[in-house]
Amino acid sequence: MLAPYACQPEASRGRLHDEHMSTFRSPFQRDRDRIIHSSAFRRLKHKTQVFVEHEGDYYRTRLTHTIEVAQVARTIAGQLGLNTDLAEAVALAHDLGHPPFGHTGEDALALLMQPYGGFDHNAQALRIVTRLERHYADFDGLNLTWETLEGIAKHNGPVTGPHASGSHAVGSGPLPYALAEVNGLWDLDLATFASAEAQVAAVADDVAYNHHDLHDGLRAGLFTEADLMELPVTGPAFAEVDRLWPGLDPARRRHEALRRVFGVMVEDVIAVARGRLTASNPQSVEEIRAMDGPIIRFSKPLYQNLKAIKSFLFTRMYRAPPVLVERGRVTAVVNDLFPLFLAQPDLLPEDWHGDVAQAFASDDAKTALARVVLDYVAGMTDRFALQEHARLIGTND
């Protein structure tokens, strides 16, 4: 039984292109399945999370990260009486718009696209699921429900209006062009909060990367378990494992400690959400959207502790010298490929030539062409971008 504040599948606002209902799947289950079967989802297996995809078989990629986020989202949503299928669909789609090389690639493309309407990976995910996936006979994109599109656009919070905050918010400024296009076709209520299911997907993202970045950083030798003993949350977790299993094998000790960190985050989110939902007693998803803050979030004490962990990771992992060297290398790859394709669009694959022709026929051909090039480069995997750079420009060393 779903809670009254959950997104009810039978009350969905529907799809941009009308379709017959599935005989055995709800609208949100159908969304989830279409995302999993999309080309963009498969490409996530060769896209960077923190470490470039080829650097090691055990490090997280965008795909393994996404699967972990979806698992956490289903767990939290199920405990709160929310629609687990919608939470899972938003979680599975949340990183579809990431370019190669993770946030490094995104930073490079954002600078390159400043004259052409900007770049934002949430907005690019919407462009993928509404336009760039071209497999169905009746429409471009995946024709997802309004609720899933809303979740992709706003799972981090309102994009516009008085409550807009975070890296994807624009406040009163211009929207990224990809988001503006979709919002122009179908108003996504960008000034309100998203459904509780989408908020769960956002928090699940935080849970997953806080956990696995600690694990990957240890594996890479960027810091040690002794370093983590000095931090909140992780320190007590290691201490508990040492108390229960003195002298435990180092690999098992690491796993046992970090799974406790994982559990602390999930249990905290569920407890806080239950308390806030009981206090506010929302009777519909519209009441969730109209609130002046997110209903799904960490407690203040845990949030502060996680800030300390993130600060540690920023210094010791995301800005570690080996990672910075790789960031510089892959930034150069993006900075070389984008202007090359912009100057010579005939280098794009043949099945992109129709998009190029449409761009040249538009009123602002240069901007339209830049957006076609962006779609192509942003869709690349790490390995393909490196291969194309080597083929078209020269060595990547």
Side-chain angles (χ1 to χ4, degrees):
M1 175 80 66
L2 292 178
Y5 46 79
C7 281
Q8 313 292 331
E10 63 276 7
S12 170
R13 299 190 194 184
R15 304 177 188 277
L16 194 58
H17 306 279
D18 289 335
E19 295 185 62
H20 295 297
M21 288 286 290
S22 171
T23 55
F24 53 88
R25 291 176 297 169
S26 77
F28 305 140
Q29 289 172 332
R30 206 175 191 183
D31 285 358
R32 174 202 61 203
D33 296 348
R34 287 183 177 180
I35 292 163
I36 289 173
H37 288 283
S38 68
S39 299
F41 186 77
R42 291 194 296 276
R43 287 197 299 270
L44 294 177
K45 69 180 178 179
H46 294 305
K47 290 197 175 189
T48 293
Q49 183 62 27
V50 173
F51 298 96
V52 175
E53 177 269 332
H54 66 272
E55 291 185 294
D57 291 340
Y58 290 99
Y59 298 125
R60 268 67 171 193
T61 65
R62 284 284 164 197
L63 181 60
T64 60
H65 164 72
T66 295
I67 293 170
E68 292 179 23
V69 174
Q71 174 262 315
V72 176
R74 283 196 70 92
T75 297
I76 296 173
Q79 288 297 307
L80 299 177
L82 298 170
N83 191 299
T84 55
D85 298 319
L86 177 58
E88 183 180 24
V90 176
L92 290 169
H94 85 283
D95 269 356
L96 289 181
H98 264 292
F101 313 127
H103 289 288
T104 302
E106 180 169 13
D107 292 344
L109 284 176
L111 285 173
L112 291 163
M113 283 296 294
Q114 276 185 350
Y116 310 113
F119 176 76
D120 173 88
H121 76 255
N122 280 355
Q124 189 68 13
L126 284 171
R127 186 166 171 83
I128 288 169
V129 301
T130 57
R131 293 192 57 169
L132 299 181
E133 288 285 327
R134 296 169 182 171
H135 308 296
Y136 297 90
D138 292 331
F139 47 79
D140 287 341
L142 305 180
N143 200 31
L144 304 179
T145 60
W146 185 92
E147 290 77 12
T148 299
L149 295 179
E150 177 211 28
I152 296 170
K154 302 189 305 188
H155 60 275
N156 298 116
V159 178
T160 64
H163 301 302
S165 63
S167 60
H168 299 278
V170 300
S172 58
L175 295 173
Y177 80 93
L179 177 55
E181 282 186 350
V182 176
N183 196 57
L185 291 173
W186 211 3
D187 186 359
L188 296 176
D189 295 342
L190 296 178
T192 68
F193 284 88
S195 65
E197 286 85 352
Q199 295 181 37
V200 163
V203 171
D205 186 24
D206 286 348
V207 170
Y209 75 68
N210 279 322
H211 169 259
H212 64 53
D213 284 1
L214 290 168
H215 198 279
D216 284 353
L218 286 170
R219 178 177 287 276
L222 298 176
F223 44 82
T224 67
E225 286 86 348
D227 294 321
L228 299 188
M229 290 287 289
E230 303 300 317
L231 292 175
V233 186
T234 57
F238 275 98
E240 182 183 14
V241 172
D242 291 341
R243 179 179 61 81
L244 293 172
W245 296 285
L248 186 64
D249 170 80
R252 293 178 188 269
R253 177 177 181 256
R254 174 187 302 178
H255 178 80
E256 285 293 338
L258 293 184
R259 68 189 285 262
R260 280 163 171 73
V261 174
F262 192 97
V264 166
M265 290 187 285
V266 172
E267 290 168 11
D268 181 86
V269 169
I270 292 170
V272 170
R274 280 177 174 161
R276 289 173 58 77
L277 287 164
T278 298
S280 57
N281 194 29
Q283 295 302 300
S284 71
V285 64
E286 295 306 326
E287 291 186 35
I288 297 286
R289 292 187 176 108
M291 289 181 174
D292 59 3
I295 196 73
I296 312 295
R297 62 190 187 191
F298 295 112
S299 66
K300 289 183 179 179
L302 183 59
Y303 178 76
Q304 292 302 318
N305 287 337
L306 293 179
K307 281 181 67 176
I309 293 174
K310 288 179 181 179
S311 177
F312 172 84
L313 287 171
F314 184 86
T315 303
R316 298 293 298 275
M317 186 174 183
Y318 311 141
R319 292 296 181 269
V323 175
L324 288 178
V325 169
E326 191 67 7
R327 280 174 60 91
R329 185 171 79 100
V330 298
T331 296
V333 170
V334 175
N335 286 340
D336 286 343
L337 288 175
F338 184 90
L340 176 65
F341 289 126
L342 193 61
Q344 301 181 58
D346 56 302
L347 292 175
L348 294 175
E350 187 174 349
D351 55 354
W352 285 79
H353 289 180
D355 296 271
V356 171
Q358 287 185 355
F360 279 126
S362 68
D363 293 336
D364 186 351
K366 188 170 184 180
T367 294
L369 179 60
R371 293 174 179 180
V372 171
V373 171
L374 169 70
D375 291 337
Y376 181 63
V377 174
M380 289 180 169
T381 61
D382 293 9
R383 63 165 62 176
F384 184 67
L386 293 170
Q387 289 168 357
E388 285 296 273
H389 188 269
R391 182 177 70 88
L392 295 169
I393 296 171
T395 178
N396 292 308
D397 292 335

